[in-house]
Every structure is written in structure tokens, then in C-alpha cells.
Amino acid sequence: INPLLLCLLVLSLQQCAPKQQQQQETTWPGEAWVSSTPKAEGLDAAVMDSIHADILNGKYGLIDEFLVIRHGKIVASHQYKQNYDSIASHYDTIPNMYNYDDPEWHPYYHRSNLHSLQSVTKSVTSVALGIAIDEGKLGDVNTHPMELFTGYTQDFTDPRRKAITLEDLLTMRSGIDWNEAGSYESDENSCIVMERSNAWVQYVLSRPMREDPGTKWDYNSGVSVLLGKLVSLSTGMRVDKWTEEKLFKPLGIKNYFWKPTADNEVDTEGGLYLSAQDLARIGYLFLHKGKWNDKQVVSEQWVEQS
């Protein structure tokens, strides 16, 4: 993760609370989160003060925000102003939406408080897919989805390709030949090659099979691109609009930025930007097993499987 874009977010789990506090009524954020004090929520303020001091002293690099939420209440919130105009001058600023240092493409340079989630985007994509499955749009995790990619070129002479399941994609055990173990500055990194291409979905589908699906884990940003496209194919909505309607709106998330790819697909492997407080809403949703207020946004089963 690029340190210029790093946002430190700490979510304190309700399970850690004393027994009597676990029984208290759940506090849900409205337009904003409710504020409290560390002491009132059973936390040691000195610990958070020490982290805040370390950030001010530069121990963790370029941090923009430090947020702690406990029992649905903000107990620590600090923002740190960085001179990104000066920082960006040291980088190549040729306009390119996938040059994460380019000030034209990072919302923070446009005075926004949105942050690059990088690969946390993959988890949000998974929630969007889970909602589609909950609504009967796309079978279940045992579905074999590769033939759903109509209009693309794939080599189905290798029977392993048709054997890939949604679960294999979600757990990065697709068996697709992919190299993302090295530096993201390397021309041999499959993710970098994909991001430089004009057709991300086709690039991933064109990769040959290497192993039997479900047998070996390989970190693969490409399969998250496929999952985002599957959300679009199964729902009839672009994945960003589906996510806005089915996830963001119920949680009260109004401001987001989601990068398009060169062919106007959605970058579901690393292109989502949220504020720290809105990212916390997604964490809070999962702490409550997919439920928000009285609405089951994503099924408890999906949360547990995730």
C-alpha cells in the first residue's frame, strides 16, 4: 500500500467488552457517528494518546487519520495534514489513472477526505457479490461461472477452466496462472500488466490455467476483477451502482469514488475510495453479522463464510 494514501483505522470489537457492556443497546450512526470518551467505553485513553503522539512524531510515516470506534461511538479521532502538493512533485505526474502518486487521480489532492482502500476494495466487492447471491441473482459459491463471460475469448479446451467455482475465485484458488508475488514496480507482475492493458477482464480470462482449481492459493487481483464483472452480469447493473444501491445507501455512505478502467469497467481489485468513518460503517456491519439497524443488508451466512 502506498504510504502516501495510508489511512490507519482501528475498530474495537464489541466481543472484547465487559459482559455488562455487551448487553447494552446497540448504537447506530446516523449522518455521523456518536462521540464518547475512552473511559466511558472501557478503554485506556493513555494508549490512544501514545499512538497519536507516535504519529505526530513520524513513527508510522504519512498518516492522514487515526480513528477508534468502540460500541458504535467515536472515542478517538485525529487528522494529520500532509503537504501532498510538495510530496507529489517528487513523482512522475504524467496523467495516468493507475499512477497512484499522480495528483490528478487521487481525491486527496482535490481536497477530499476520501482514501484509497487499495485491496480492501476486494472485500467490498465480495460483499456486493454476497448480496447478489442473497437475492438469487447468481446461484451460490459452488456455481461454475466462467461460461457466464460471454463476448470474451477463453480457452475451454482445458477442462480445469470450466471447473472453477465462485468459491475458488473468492478464495484466490482459481488455478489461473498469475504472478503477483513480486514488486508492483516489476513488468513481470501480472497485476501491473493488467492495469496497463485496455481490457482488464479479457486479460485475466486470457491467462492459462496452471493448477487444478481449489488446490493452491495464489494472491490474484485479477480474480477480483472477474468477481466485480460477475456482479454486473448477474444483476444488470454496473457493480459500483449495485454496491451504492444495496450496500452504501443502507449504511448511510454518500460519498465515494470508484475508479473506472480503460474500457469503462470498474476497478474492483483496488480502485475504491472511502472516508475512514465510512469504511468503519462496513466494519460495523460485519460486527453485527450483516445487519444494520433493523435491515439485513447481507446475510449472516455470507458474513460467516467471508
Side-chain angles (χ1 to χ4, degrees):
I1 296 177
N2 188 321
L4 298 180
L5 315 180
L6 185 62
C7 171
L8 180 59
L9 174 66
V10 179
L11 292 173
S12 299
L13 304 185
Q14 285 186 312
Q15 288 87 336
C16 299
K19 186 174 181 179
Q20 65 271 20
Q21 290 183 324
Q22 287 185 12
Q23 297 172 352
Q24 65 185 11
E25 184 177 348
T26 300
T27 300
W28 296 101
E31 288 287 324
W33 290 85
V34 175
S35 294
S36 184
T37 64
K39 183 178 180 180
E41 306 308 323
L43 297 178
D44 185 349
V47 173
M48 282 170 285
D49 289 343
S50 69
I51 295 172
H52 174 50
D54 285 341
I55 293 172
L56 288 173
N57 290 329
K59 182 175 181 179
Y60 301 112
L62 293 166
I63 301 296
D64 293 317
E65 185 162 357
F66 171 47
L67 175 69
V68 181
I69 292 174
R70 173 77 156 173
H71 302 144
K73 301 172 184 177
I74 292 178
V75 295
S77 179
H78 301 283
Q79 290 78 40
Y80 311 92
K81 185 173 177 58
Q82 312 291 352
N83 188 342
Y84 283 111
D85 294 311
S86 175
I87 293 166
S89 68
H90 299 290
Y91 293 90
D92 174 12
T93 56
I94 296 174
N96 177 350
M97 69 177 74
Y98 300 105
N99 174 355
Y100 291 99
D101 301 312
D102 184 345
E104 291 303 310
W105 283 101
H106 194 302
Y108 211 95
Y109 296 112
H110 294 279
R111 309 310 178 238
S112 162
N113 68 339
L114 302 180
H115 288 259
S116 170
L117 300 194
Q118 297 287 355
S119 286
V120 175
T121 301
K122 295 176 171 67
S123 295
V124 178
T125 301
S126 172
V127 181
L129 181 73
I131 296 172
I133 289 177
D134 289 341
E135 295 194 6
K137 305 289 188 183
L138 190 62
D140 59 25
V141 294
N142 298 310
T143 297
H144 296 85
M146 301 307 285
E147 290 184 291
L148 297 177
F149 291 99
T150 57
Y152 296 94
T153 301
Q154 293 188 75
D155 179 12
F156 282 117
T157 61
D158 189 331
R160 295 178 295 183
R161 189 173 297 275
K162 287 186 179 180
I164 297 172
T165 66
L166 274 177
E167 184 171 7
D168 295 330
L169 297 178
L170 286 160
T171 59
M172 295 190 179
R173 298 178 300 166
S174 67
I176 295 173
D177 185 30
W178 194 265
N179 172 29
E180 202 171 338
S183 168
Y184 284 96
E185 297 180 359
S186 170
D187 291 336
E188 296 180 359
N189 187 301
S190 300
C191 182
I192 294 303
V193 177
M194 176 186 72
E195 289 187 351
R196 290 175 180 170
S197 76
N198 292 324
W200 291 20
V201 174
Q202 182 58 66
Y203 174 77
V204 182
L205 294 175
S206 298
R207 300 295 301 165
M209 298 296 295
R210 187 170 61 197
E211 285 99 19
D212 290 338
T215 60
K216 182 181 178 183
W217 179 85
D218 271 310
Y219 191 78
N220 184 334
S221 292
V223 297
S224 293
V225 171
L226 297 185
L227 290 168
K229 184 61 178 178
L230 284 170
V231 173
S232 298
L233 291 171
S234 62
T235 65
M237 297 174 64
R238 263 180 43 137
V239 61
D240 53 348
K241 296 305 179 185
W242 171 264
T243 307
E244 178 183 304
E245 183 68 27
K246 299 294 183 175
L247 178 63
F248 292 167
K249 283 186 177 179
L251 270 58
I253 297 174
K254 297 180 179 179
N255 297 315
Y256 73 92
F257 174 70
W258 210 329
K259 280 184 176 179
T261 67
D263 57 351
N264 204 34
E265 296 287 357
V266 181
D267 176 3
T268 51
E269 53 92 26
L272 179 61
Y273 294 71
L274 293 175
S275 69
Q277 292 195 14
D278 280 346
L279 178 56
R281 290 174 186 261
I282 296 174
Y284 204 54
L285 174 74
F286 266 59
L287 286 179
H288 292 87
K289 301 180 180 181
K291 192 173 185 179
W292 192 266
N293 280 315
D294 295 325
K295 179 180 176 63
Q296 195 72 40
V297 176
V298 62
S299 66
E300 181 176 341
Q301 180 185 10
W302 190 261
V303 171
E304 291 176 348
Q305 284 182 303
S306 297

